[in-house]
Amino acid sequence: QVHLVESGGGLVQAGDSLRLACTASQGSIRSYAVGWFRGPPRKGSTFVAALNWNGGQTWYSRPVKGRFDISRDNARNVVYLQMNNLQLEDSGVYYCAADTGSGSDYADEYDYWGQGTQVTVSS
């Protein structure tokens, strides 16, 4: 079992950047695929980005492709979501989730979820 913790959210203006981080307060995420979703958590969430256990495969939703970058540092047990050129519609609570499988853009496939971090983009 793994307990996920998100950080890095905040209030920014449109066009600004933020970097979210997902770490494990208990356990390790090194062997998991990890995804980022915008709330509400689990069913009903909006897929943002995901990567497999070693970062060799990534997925992005169409609205964020080219603006967001997902990466991981398994030595430090952390997954990042670099968000550039933020837009008003990017606002929401961002959750990271861990998948014991190979990773996907379906929230139902993810087994563990963090508590979320708020991102607010103002004009």
Side-chain angles (χ1 to χ4, degrees), residues 4 6 20 22 33-51 59-61 64 68 70 79 81 83 89-99 103-119:
L4 303 176
E6 302 92 340
L20 306 184
C22 174
V34 174
W36 285 96
F37 294 81
R38 189 168 64 247
R42 302 183 184 269
K43 189 170 289 188
S45 62
T46 300
F47 171 73
V48 176
L51 78 175
W59 300 262
Y60 295 93
S61 67
V64 309
F68 290 13
I70 189 170
V79 172
L81 182 67
M83 305 188 295
E89 56 267 30
D90 295 321
S91 294
V93 180
Y94 282 71
Y95 297 86
C96 70
D99 175 15
S104 80
D105 54 358
Y106 290 102
D108 285 350
E109 305 231 347
Y110 287 80
D111 305 283
Y112 305 105
W113 291 72
Q115 295 302 305
T117 185
Q118 177 73 47
V119 172

